[in-house]
Structure formats: structure tokens, C-alpha cells
Amino acid sequence: MAPKRIRRSLALPASWRFLLLALLIAVSAEGAPRPNFVFIMSDDHAYQAVSAYGAGINNTPNIDRIAREGIRFDRAYVPNSLCGPCRATVLTGKHSSRNGFYDNRSTFDGTQWTMAKSLQRAGYQTAIVGKWHLVSEPTGFDHWDVLPGQGKYYRPDFITPAGKSAIDGYVTDVTTDKAIAWLNGAGETGRKADKPFLLMIHQKAPHRPWDPAPERLKEFVGREIPEPATLLDDYSTRTSSAVDAKMRIGETMNDRDIKTWAEDNNHRQWLYNHMTADQKAAWVEHIDPRQAELEDSGLEGDERTRWKWRRYMEDYLACVASVDEGVGRVLDWLDGAGLAENTVVVYMSDQGFYLGEHGWFDKRFMYEESLRTPMVVRWPAGLKEPGREEGRIVSNLDIAPTFLELAGAEVDPEVDGRSLTAILRSEPTPDWREDFYYHYHEGPERDHNVQLHDGVTDGRHKLIHFYKRDEWELYDLEEDPRELSNVADDPRYAEVRERLTARLAELREDYGFTPPKVGE
Ligand code: SGN
Ligand code: CA
């Protein structure tokens, strides 16, 4: 490996040779150069909208490139499918109950142990740009430049230790620009070539309300997009907890979401305030025909739901296209700098998302679309068998222990995650996890009326307990991958239910959770 790298460096310009030399100096105890980490996380990007996962609704060539040259994880589960909690989990490698960030009302305790701090102590440079959403100021980062709260799509504000400033442009592009500027060493806290680094690029898109870049507004209009099989799910075997969620495209998705709001509506005014004249003109052309179409069509019931779903997809997929383009720019930068070989690149979403499955948008539930996040990892220097599809249960819990092991940095003994190093290297993992504990903590009083629940899955079956109502659901993921048939009370599954109930009790004990009695 090393001779190859040196040979290649001889043909490169002096500045690149310097970068490569610096990389070689950053050597771990065993003598191998320590890898860099580029962690790209988007917000609410469903695996169904990553073409590498094969749903066939869009093309994400750059994310697919990571999968092709790396590994595609097919059971990457999140322990609590919501934005803030997943971000806290990535930083700590811990479940919400251990890092104290339970839901989007929480404030992250930045004094606790994190992966970023540990990498800093081990001599890494650490940087984060884009969405943060953990309320307290970032700690453990040499450089941070983050969106306040959810952030805005157009002319977004960013905050740094020096204060807040609005940046012209579209948030996804601006975030990528900032990441590349940092890689190029811009400013006092920019990357220095003499140390390995962690760069976290956290895209706000494609989060609701799915506002695309102006030049992409028309990209998916009129395209053939296959409808999910469960768009018109009738919930016939499901518990009231599933039925009562307020995240159906038909009933809950509003005119702001599908861009059919009226001229005098505040939304339009608010959005336009952040736009240049050209951007505004593109948006007027986007909104007005839709509004006219909906008014003229007289659509009702299922046909109206289908119409709304199509507009949702047009905007959502256009947002995803910008995210994918940003991924491509970062990969190109790594190639150009000669750093691709020994940089671990991860692309994932904070959690999964519904693209009309069960008639829904949003996340929160333990059903597959929101439990599973897309996750692809590339690392040419260390990864064996590139292009592999991996079915073992992995998680965003595993990011911190993986990076830390590869960096030779200290790992908090309390972490719940496991290092993926052996999987990346195609080495045996004899005691790998066989099941996974999930716990959604935000509760129905917030957005979308989703009941508190926890559960366990082994990837084959899934048991869910909506404990405030004492409602149980059990799914056979092989027979019923779309989770349409709750078999919790089916005698043929009595044994499976008993086994998973016992396992859930064990996991609850591990995570210190005793479900309240109904009504408590
Ligand atoms: C906002 C959205 C919700 C979404 C939450 C949490 N409503 O409140 O639909 O579930 O964020 O999302 S919106 O009308 O303001 O867009 S998260 O990804 O940050 O957890
Ligand atoms: Ca999210």
C-alpha cells in the first residue's frame, strides 16, 4: 500500500505531495496512517430515495458511488427515529436514555463524552457544518458553523462562535461550499494538512417543507414516479396507535407542504423574504400552476391523496438531488486532493422517512421506513470486497465506536454501539448483535400524534409495544415486509411473541426502562 501511494505522489504537484506527506506523518501506534473521516448526514432522507437501494424512484449517482466503491448497509437501524435524538446518538454512540437527549425538546449536555472530543484528544482536527439541532453550543469541534434550529432553505442563517450571519444561496449548496472551504483550509480554523480530521457535513435537506433549489423546481414535474403499494393503506389489522397518527398525506399534509398556498398566505410572504428576484420568479412559476390545477381539478378522496403525494415527491426528490450533488462535490474534492484512499466516507440520514408508505410522511414509528436509515460507507485503504451489500444489524450507534477504533482513540465504556471495523474488513464477527432495541420518546402531544412506544426486532420479526395504551403489534417481516398484517394475537405466532416479549423485558432492564401502567 505505502509504496503505491508514494509512487503516485511523485507525479503530483508540490502542494499535493505536501498533503500526502502530512497524511503519512499522522501515523497510529501500529504504523499505519490514521484515516480521515467525512461523515455526511442528511435530514429525513428515506432509503427508498437512494437509487443504490433499488426502489427505482430517482437517481442518486454520487451516493451510489459510495455504495459501489464501499458497503451498502441494508439493516441500519436508528434507536429513536427523530432528528435531535439521532444526532445525539451519532455523537455519543449511546441510546437516548444514556445520553439524555430524548426528543426534540431536549437540550444536549455538551459536557458529556463525545466522539468529537475523543478524536480531538487523539490529535484529530474536528469540524461540523450544517444542521445541528441539539440546542446547546457544539463542543469538541475545532470548527463549527451550524444552522440555528431547523435552519432555512433560502438565505440561511449560520452560527459560529463569532455570531450569526445570513448567507445568500440555497442551504444545501451553502453547506457543501462551507465544507469544501474548510477542507481547503480557509480561515483560522480551516483544516491544516498536518493532522487527520473528522468533518461532519449535516445537510438540512430534504426535511419538510421540501423546498428545492430554484433550478431544480421543474426537475421531477411530470416524471413517472411509481406509487408505493401502501399509499392507500386502510390500517385494517393495526392498533389504534397506528391509526391515530396525524401524518397522512391525504389529511395532514398542508398547502405549505405541497406549495398550493394562497397569494395572501403568510407562508408565501415569509419564503419570498429570503429570496432574490430570480428565485422568487422561479417559485411563482412553481406554485401558481399547482394551485390552479388543484382548484380546477375538483379532486377528492383517494384521487386527491394521489395528487398530493405526487407533488410531495416532486419537491422531495428535487431536494434529494441537491444533496446528492453535494456528495459528489465532496468525493471529487477528496479525489483531487489525493485523500480518497485513506478517508472513511459515510453517507446516512438522521433517520428514515415515509414517502407515502401507509399513506404517510414523517417518521417516529418503529416500522421499517423510519427505523431503517440509508447508510453507505467507503474506505478504499481498509475495506475489503467493495460493492458489498451487508445484512447484519448495524446502527447510527456504531459510528462513534467505529471512527474511534480506526483512529486509535479512547472509547467510553458506556457506549451502546459496536465498531464496524471487522465488518468493513470482512473479518468474522462471531458475537454480533442479533436484535435491536427501539424507543420513541416524544409522545403524542407534539407533532403528528405518535404514541410512545418501544420494541425489539431481530430483522425477521418485530414486536412493538405502545405502552401507554398497552397495544401490541407483531410483524413477520419475511411474510409481510410492508407490515400490513399485525399478527400479535395470531396463535401461529404465539411462540415468536413469547420469545420477543421476554427479550424486550431484558432490553428494557438494560436500558433502565419500566413501562408505566395504562393511564399513568
Ligand atoms: C417540524 C415538522 C414536523 C417534523 C418535526 C421534527 N413540521 O416540526 O413535520 O416531524 O419538525 O423533524 S413543520 O411544519 O415545521 O415542517 S426533525 O427531523 O427535526 O426531527
Ligand atoms: Ca430528521
Side-chain angles (χ1 to χ4, degrees):
M1 191 63 67
K4 191 172 152 208
R5 189 179 289 115
I6 290 163
R7 240 195 341 267
R8 203 193 306 156
S9 77
L10 292 175
L12 293 171
S15 58
W16 292 11
R17 279 208 304 270
F18 177 70
L19 283 175
L20 288 171
L21 187 68
L23 193 74
L24 290 172
I25 291 167
V27 164
S28 72
E30 294 82 46
R34 297 192 294 177
N36 305 303
F37 305 106
V38 173
F39 178 78
I40 310 175
M41 186 163 70
S42 52
D43 194 353
D44 293 359
H45 188 182
Y47 59 85
Q48 309 91 293
V50 174
S51 41
Y53 282 95
I57 65 170
N58 63 337
N59 275 313
T60 48
N62 298 297
I63 300 170
D64 291 11
R65 183 180 160 199
I66 303 177
R68 200 174 55 246
E69 297 171 5
I71 299 193
R72 184 188 86 187
F73 288 94
D74 291 350
R75 286 197 182 85
Y77 295 158
V78 300
N80 178 6
S81 184
L82 201 62
C83 183
C86 285
R87 287 154 205 276
T89 286
V90 167
L91 284 175
T92 60
K94 295 175 187 170
H95 278 264
S96 308
S97 56
R98 288 216 233 278
N99 64 37
F101 200 102
Y102 290 92
D103 61 35
N104 284 341
R105 292 165 292 194
S106 304
T107 296
F108 188 69
D109 170 10
T111 65
Q112 69 184 294
W113 179 92
T114 67
M115 147 177 101
K117 289 183 189 175
S118 185
L119 285 172
Q120 253 183 345
R121 281 194 291 270
Y124 273 65
Q125 304 167 80
T126 56
I128 181 164
V129 295
K131 189 166 173 181
W132 172 247
H133 211 200
L134 293 174
V135 187
S136 56
E137 274 194 357
T139 54
F141 292 97
D142 302 317
H143 173 92
W144 54 269
D145 194 349
V146 299
L147 297 165
Q150 292 283 7
K152 293 194 294 254
Y153 272 104
Y154 282 80
R155 199 165 191 272
D157 289 326
F158 274 81
I159 32 177
T160 69
K164 194 196 275 190
S165 50
I167 312 290
D168 284 331
Y170 181 64
V171 69
T172 307
D173 302 336
V174 174
T175 302
T176 306
D177 292 345
K178 282 177 177 285
I180 289 179
W182 183 83
L183 286 166
N184 280 326
E188 263 177 42
T189 53
R191 187 182 71 91
K192 313 280 182 296
D194 59 349
K195 277 180 167 187
F197 65 85
L198 163 73
L199 170 61
M200 304 182 87
I201 307 173
H202 287 192
Q203 294 290 4
K204 170 207 168 52
H207 191 276
R208 192 184 184 190
W210 316 297
D211 290 348
E215 68 275 15
R216 292 192 186 273
L217 283 165
K218 289 199 173 78
E219 198 166 314
F220 289 86
V221 174
R223 275 228 210 152
E224 194 53 48
I225 307 172
E227 225 176 72
T230 59
L231 181 63
L232 304 174
D233 189 356
D234 65 1
Y235 307 92
S236 55
T237 72
R238 321 278 287 287
T239 60
S240 73
S241 300
V243 176
D244 290 349
K246 291 196 171 21
M247 44 196 252
R248 292 194 206 177
I249 292 168
E251 288 91 44
T252 311
M253 196 170 266
N254 60 38
D255 57 359
R256 172 66 182 89
D257 296 326
I258 49 168
K259 289 84 183 173
T260 53
W261 61 86
E263 189 65 59
D264 60 351
N265 190 300
N266 286 337
H267 290 319
R268 189 180 278 234
Q269 211 43 57
W270 186 88
L271 180 66
Y272 290 170
N273 277 342
H274 304 287
M275 289 186 180
T276 62
D278 286 354
Q279 291 171 338
K280 185 175 158 185
W283 269 84
V284 170
E285 251 185 71
H286 190 54
I287 296 165
D288 288 354
R290 277 195 184 174
Q291 196 173 328
E293 198 183 319
L294 188 63
E295 277 168 18
D296 296 348
S297 67
L299 289 174
E300 281 178 33
D302 291 350
E303 287 318 305
R304 192 182 170 92
T305 300
R306 289 196 154 109
W307 188 92
K308 287 174 79 176
W309 170 81
R310 168 159 286 284
R311 271 74 212 164
Y312 164 39
M313 282 301 93
E314 287 172 3
D315 293 340
Y316 182 94
L317 296 175
C319 289
V320 168
S322 290
V323 171
D324 185 67
E325 183 190 322
V327 170
R329 287 177 59 202
V330 174
L331 295 180
D332 287 349
W333 187 93
L334 290 169
D335 286 340
L339 293 180
E341 176 79 4
N342 199 24
T343 297
V344 178
V345 179
V346 175
Y347 179 83
M348 71 191 307
S349 173
D350 59 344
Q351 12 69 205
F353 210 69
Y354 297 93
L355 301 185
E357 297 83 4
H358 305 297
W360 287 334
F361 63 101
D362 213 68
K363 52 264 179 176
R364 300 162 193 273
F365 278 107
M366 197 192 167
Y367 307 124
E368 288 293 283
E369 290 82 1
S370 42
L371 172 70
R372 265 183 66 189
T373 182
M375 180 169 151
V376 291
V377 180
R378 186 187 79 169
W379 178 33
L383 190 133
K384 301 281 176 309
E385 305 178 81
R388 213 168 82 225
E389 292 158 16
E390 174 56 55
R392 272 167 282 196
I393 297 175
V394 303
S395 171
N396 55 359
L397 289 159
D398 302 335
I399 299 297
T402 304
F403 287 3
L404 295 172
E405 186 181 356
L406 291 175
E410 158 247 0
V411 184
D412 185 328
E414 295 287 294
V415 299
D416 296 307
R418 297 275 309 265
S419 170
L420 299 168
T421 314
I423 293 184
L424 299 179
R425 293 190 168 127
S426 299
E427 288 163 2
T429 53
D431 57 348
W432 196 253
R433 65 166 78 80
E434 278 168 7
D435 51 27
F436 189 80
Y437 180 65
Y438 182 84
H439 198 156
Y440 169 70
H441 294 272
E442 191 162 270
E445 66 282 6
R446 293 270 290 186
D447 305 301
H448 304 298
N449 199 40
V450 174
Q451 296 295 318
L452 293 164
H453 59 287
D454 70 348
V456 60
T457 181
D458 57 11
R460 168 73 168 85
H461 295 99
K462 185 187 295 179
L463 181 71
I464 309 176
H465 190 206
F466 298 96
Y467 47 82
K468 285 272 191 172
R469 295 180 173 181
D470 196 24
E471 292 181 328
W472 293 86
E473 292 186 1
L474 177 65
Y475 293 98
D476 181 334
L477 297 170
E478 205 169 282
E479 297 292 315
D480 175 31
R482 297 198 175 102
E483 297 166 295
L484 293 172
S485 191
N486 171 20
V487 293
D489 295 322
D490 183 332
R492 287 174 303 160
Y493 286 89
E495 231 173 85
V496 176
R497 179 167 173 175
E498 198 182 321
R499 175 170 54 78
L500 288 180
T501 306
R503 181 65 182 136
L504 182 60
E506 270 172 27
L507 289 163
R508 281 173 169 172
E509 207 176 312
D510 284 355
Y511 296 108
F513 176 63
T514 311
K517 300 260 174 318
V518 176
E520 262 178 24

